[in-house]
Amino acid sequence: MRVDLRGALVIAPFVDAHVHLDKTLIGEKWRPHLRGSSVRDRIRLEREARPQLTTSMAARASALIDQVLRTGTGHLRSHVDIDSDVGLSYLEQLLEVRATYRGIVSVELVAFPQSGIVSEPGSRQLLEAALRSGAEVIGGLDPIGFDNDLAGHLNVVFDLAERFGAKVDVHLHDPGGLGLSEVLEITARTEALGLAGRVVISHAYCLGMVSGSDLSKAVDALARAEVAIMTNGPAGPMPPVKLLKEAGVTVFAGSDNIRDTWWPFGNGDQLERATAVAFQSGWRTDEDLRSALELVTSAPAKILSLDSYGIVPGNRADFVIVDAESTTEAVAGHSPRLLVWVNGSPVGTNAISEYK
Ligand SMILES: [Zn+2]
């Protein structure tokens, strides 16, 4: 098939290695956002809201996957809540959703202890069952700030990672020196267990709150242990992306919450996410804007172990066609997507006939 794209930009599909498919409210009528005062308070608000929802989690998750596919995302890592209220039911629903998208959008699943491990009864057993049931990644959440037990929390996470050959992805919101001590403990455990390249710290706001030798020590430890950092380009403190990348740390950008009880904003568009990280990082040059695109393409592809990723002869014909003359213009210009091509066929609303 020959298609004249009239000079449009062709890039590999976006990869979003941090979403929460089970949390989105897309498909529900708009709900006013209730702002919790702390992580614990927001977890309470979410658990209270769940029974009031009128659409199934599977329907909402599917609506979100359809939406991100139209913007060019072909691969996802989704955290899924595992707690004493929902048990494994959200995981089971997402395993079914994942099966319906096989060959179109790939989904890696994280068993996520949103309500803690040490402080949530039965959490350890549920997380273990989740890994047995098909989750590939074990999650974690503020070992000190939430569970107030650094060793107790990480003992469970890394024990399960070792026993099940699971990857690790820890949400770390804890600030400053507190967060830094957790970064150092996670990198030390990663090195000790030989888990290089298989561990992610998500958010790591603390890296944007410290400087000098404290920051250098953490950056060196992350590079040495090959522990990656995820940022969503928040308005507040965020990791120094360029400094980390220059030190050899893998950094990638993810959506995190998209229209849910945690966060009312978002549409899951990964080109917009690259723009947000570039903007919040103060980037302006072409070189920096080009590197922003890597945060939503090649870097997270590595995290998801996508061996056949990229526009290379022999790989599957997956492309995103962007109305821009270059990757720099795409990141800077909020460029629309003209076509999304999956496994040799166009998807989405724009008819291929327009380009013949
Ligand atoms: Zn998250």
Side-chain angles (χ1 to χ4, degrees), residues 7 16 19 29 31 37 76-77 85-86 94 99 101 113 118 139 176 196 202 209 212 230 259 267 305 327 341 355:
D16 195 341
V19 293
K29 283 179 90 69
R31 295 169 64 87
S37 58
L76 298 167
R77 170 184 278 183
D85 284 355
V86 299
L94 279 188
Y101 285 90
V118 179
S202 287
M209 299 171 157
M230 189 292 299
R259 294 264 313 270
N267 59 9
S305 317
T327 52
W341 209 275
Y355 296 91

